[in-house]
Amino acid sequence: MSGSPQKLDGNQMLAVVPDDTVWLSASAGTGKTHVLASRVLRLLLQPSVDPSAVLCLTFTKAGATEMATRIKDTLAKWVWLADVDLFAQLDAIGAPSDDATRDRARTLFAKVLDCPGGGLRIDTIHAFAQWLLAAFPHEAGLIPGTRPIEDRERAVLARQVLADLLVRAQNDPLGDPQLLDALADLSLRMGPDEVEAYLLRCAQARDAWFGPGGWQEPMRPRLLGLLGLPSDADEASLAAICADDAFDVASLRRCMEINAAWTAKTGQEAAATIGAWLADSHAARLAGIDGLASVFLTQKGEPRASGSQEKLDPSYPDYRARVVECIVAIREGKALLELADRLVPALRLGRAFALAWDKAKQREGLIDFDDQIREAANLLNRSELADWIRYKLDRRFDHILVDEAQDTNAAQWDIVFALTGEFFAGQGQHGDLLRTLFVVGDYKQAIFRFQGTSPENFAAARERVREEMAGAAANAQMLRTNQRARELNEYGLGRSFRTSQPVLDFVDKAIAAIGHEAFGLDQPAEPHKGWKDRRGYVALWRPVGAAVEDAGEGEE
């Protein structure tokens, strides 16, 4: 903040009220960081709030650093500002400007420096998980000396684990030689670098292999079930669908007769193809299903022109439709079986690597980001000492702020909710002391779905907080206590200070065309507002790699 402070307005000012729990939807360029920093400052100005009781969780190190720098610089400036200038600074964020508040503002810089660790706790969710595990290593079941894995260590360890796995598969009598074939197949289809990335993704998907419901041998029946096939499906069962009692051979024979009556070469060849297929064994019919399909369908899968056949029998399209339905079912089943043949070896290799990777990390005393989040969540929610640990933390944090909440996945939300578990349930460990949660995010920026984040997670977390607070408020009213019945305050920051109105108009139209449900919204978004006096330009580019479709048959 400078000598001419940027004054909050509208929902910005409402969002920083320190005794409210707030869920803020903030688009890019709407002053979200300024609001978040102002919220922290308003909390620190409260006489009942100790700086060590404030925890701010961000998604990136850059975000944490920017937040810490803003707050530190502001508090340092407040120490020496003249009363008039300090009054303006406080007024800009909606804080009281009386003598007591000004005096407190001048002391905050020193109080923050006196916090454990030398400042406010503003961390990424991973850094906080790392701190939590370091504070309770025995309770988390970590081996003494366990430390986060570095990027280079990860690459070296991954190659060592894979090499050991392959050597064992080749030389150890207890090894699985099929893993070598699976790796060779994946390498040909994906390339060496992509195979390594795939195996590391398998290792990160720990819940897929460990615990109840984890993938175990035999894998094929379970995979077939997921693909919608019988657990014992194979080529023999698929060939049985080609038998006379399963395939609509009556319609197929009628199609053969109609084509045979058509004297043109096309009709004669079609009739011959159908006749040859009918004369084959069930297994040969399965192998030749694509040849039969070419009689009735184009390469694009569309029905071939049948004007000549319809002149001979107007019911030809109906016969063809019934035959095509049988063909499609067989081809889909065949494609799914081929997919299973590729996936099962890849899953076996992925599982073997994941198990070996987990043992290697334990042996080396290493833990990665996903481990930190998972173990921290277990520590707070599911371990036998979870209640005691939550009690210890409950005495430490009274105000939790979550930035970039749309990038928080389900496991990370488990940590947040464990920290706030007593906030809205009775009086918790702090009696009637003020306790708040502040969450800010933008559903449109939830782009890390591959890491488990989604607009749906964002909405589900908001609904959980809303329900917990509504329940606590209802209880307070029913018991007629002196507690303030607080409910969740939801605000949106729709005015962008960096984007022109024409661009935001396009965004609104795009959201409307796609549908608000696709963004995890239960209702249409509010219109976005920007600079009306600034020109905007929207350009639509062809996606990289997109190719122009080939012209259809008969088109020039």
Side-chain angles (χ1 to χ4, degrees):
M1 295 183 183
S2 62
S4 300
Q6 179 182 344
K7 189 175 178 63
L8 301 174
D9 68 340
N11 285 348
Q12 288 183 328
M13 189 67 79
L14 295 174
V16 302
V17 175
D19 58 347
D20 285 341
T21 289
V22 172
W23 199 281
L24 184 65
S25 295
S27 302
T30 57
K32 176 206 66 175
T33 304
H34 179 43
V35 171
L36 188 58
S38 300
R39 170 84 182 195
V40 174
L41 295 172
R42 288 290 302 272
L43 284 169
L44 296 176
L45 288 168
Q46 300 300 303
S48 61
V49 175
D50 188 280
S52 64
V54 177
L55 170 65
C56 186
L57 298 174
T58 69
F59 186 69
T60 63
K61 292 181 180 179
T65 300
E66 180 183 5
M67 181 62 54
T69 300
R70 284 195 182 213
I71 294 172
K72 182 191 70 174
D73 291 349
T74 299
L75 296 180
K77 187 177 296 184
W78 282 0
V79 173
W80 53 263
L81 274 181
D83 281 350
V84 173
D85 294 328
L86 182 55
F87 176 92
Q89 294 270 334
L90 297 175
D91 181 66
I93 61 174
S97 52
D98 55 86
D99 292 343
T101 303
R102 292 200 303 274
D103 290 342
R104 180 172 177 79
R106 297 187 189 283
T107 65
L108 285 176
F109 184 73
K111 288 183 177 180
V112 168
L113 289 180
D114 288 339
C115 287
L120 291 173
R121 182 159 290 281
I122 303 176
D123 285 332
T124 64
I125 191 75
H126 290 96
F128 176 77
Q130 182 179 338
W131 168 83
L132 181 65
L133 296 176
F136 302 99
H138 176 71
E139 293 82 355
L142 298 180
I143 299 173
T146 297
R147 60 181 178 81
I149 190 171
E150 301 290 340
D151 290 342
R152 178 169 176 76
E153 287 178 312
R154 181 193 304 275
V156 172
L157 185 62
R159 288 166 189 167
Q160 184 62 52
V161 168
L162 181 58
D164 293 344
L165 191 67
L166 297 179
V167 168
R168 184 169 184 266
Q170 186 172 21
N171 300 328
D172 193 326
L174 299 178
D176 184 358
Q178 293 181 346
L179 296 181
L180 297 172
D181 296 334
L183 180 64
D185 181 62
L186 283 176
S187 297
L188 290 173
R189 290 194 290 116
M190 303 173 65
D193 292 340
E194 288 301 318
V195 169
E196 185 175 322
Y198 162 74
L199 292 175
L200 282 173
R201 287 196 299 272
C202 289
Q204 291 168 359
R206 195 175 187 277
D207 291 343
W209 320 110
F210 294 87
W215 283 74
Q216 307 286 339
E217 291 290 357
M219 289 190 183
R220 187 177 182 84
R222 182 174 176 182
L223 179 61
L224 290 173
L226 288 178
L227 295 176
L229 296 174
S231 60
D232 59 349
D234 55 17
E235 284 204 5
S237 62
L238 195 58
I241 305 177
C242 300
D244 289 356
D245 59 349
F247 198 99
D248 190 350
V249 293
S251 295
L252 182 59
R253 291 185 187 281
R254 182 57 187 148
C255 288
M256 179 179 66
E257 294 168 356
I258 296 172
N259 277 285
W262 182 22
T263 56
K265 179 182 178 181
T266 301
Q268 298 302 305
E269 290 178 347
T273 300
I274 296 173
W277 190 87
L278 286 169
D280 274 335
S281 65
H282 299 165
R285 286 182 179 183
L286 176 62
I289 194 66
D290 289 337
L292 180 64
S294 66
V295 173
F296 303 99
L297 301 172
T298 66
Q299 291 184 351
K300 292 183 177 181
E302 299 171 351
R304 290 190 179 278
S306 58
S308 298
Q309 292 95 326
E310 291 178 44
K311 291 179 180 178
L312 298 170
D313 187 339
S315 297
Y316 182 83
D318 297 329
Y319 294 121
R320 178 184 62 190
R322 289 192 286 271
V323 171
V324 166
E325 184 178 353
C326 295
I327 292 174
V328 168
I330 294 170
R331 294 176 81 178
E332 287 181 352
K334 186 178 180 181
L336 290 174
L337 278 180
E338 292 173 352
L339 178 61
D341 289 339
R342 288 183 177 273
L343 288 181
V344 169
L347 286 173
R348 286 173 176 157
L349 177 63
R351 181 178 184 274
F353 180 87
L355 299 181
W357 173 257
D358 201 64
K359 291 180 180 178
K361 286 190 300 180
Q362 292 181 14
R363 182 181 65 245
E364 301 293 334
L366 298 172
I367 188 170
D368 60 24
F369 282 170
D370 291 327
D371 294 330
Q372 291 174 13
I373 295 298
R374 182 181 60 256
E375 295 299 339
N378 288 337
L379 190 64
L380 292 172
N381 289 293
R382 290 179 286 277
S383 71
E384 59 183 7
L385 296 175
D387 289 341
W388 178 77
I389 292 169
R390 283 200 301 266
Y391 168 77
K392 297 289 287 186
L393 291 176
D394 191 51
R395 298 176 58 184
R396 195 176 305 229
F397 300 120
D398 294 320
H399 304 278
I400 297 177
L401 302 94
V402 182
D403 188 20
E404 302 291 357
Q406 77 279 349
D407 293 326
T408 305
N409 63 30
Q412 294 165 352
W413 278 118
D414 285 344
I415 294 177
V416 174
F417 287 131
L419 294 173
T420 61
E422 300 297 331
F423 278 29
F424 317 118
Q427 294 184 336
Q429 303 293 338
H430 291 262
D432 58 355
L433 191 63
L434 178 67
R435 316 186 71 189
T436 63
L437 172 66
F438 179 85
V439 176
V440 57
D442 181 14
Y443 62 91
K444 298 186 298 302
Q445 298 183 60
I447 60 175
F448 295 98
R449 189 177 288 271
F450 64 93
Q451 293 183 352
T453 71
S454 68
E456 292 80 9
N457 279 341
F458 187 48
R462 178 191 60 199
E463 189 61 29
R464 175 171 173 175
V465 174
R466 181 194 293 140
E467 290 178 356
E468 288 184 357
M469 294 193 69
N475 287 339
Q477 291 178 349
M478 181 178 64
L479 297 174
R480 297 183 179 180
T481 65
N482 292 326
Q483 274 187 295
R484 176 187 168 190
R486 296 185 297 135
E487 296 190 5
L488 180 64
N489 291 299
E490 300 179 51
Y491 304 115
L493 301 183
R495 180 174 294 281
S496 174
F497 297 99
R498 70 170 70 146
T499 309
S500 63
Q501 190 61 48
V503 173
L504 294 178
D505 288 341
F506 174 82
V507 171
D508 288 335
K509 291 178 180 178
I511 293 175
I514 296 171
H516 61 272
E517 299 88 353
F519 293 90
L521 298 177
D522 54 5
Q523 58 186 358
E526 295 181 2
H528 294 85
K529 300 177 182 178
W531 293 100
K532 294 184 178 181
D533 56 349
R534 179 182 297 174
R535 297 180 62 186
Y537 177 76
V538 176
L540 300 180
W541 294 72
R542 183 183 300 278
V544 174
V548 179
E549 294 185 0
D550 295 335
E553 294 186 2
E555 295 177 355
E556 297 182 355

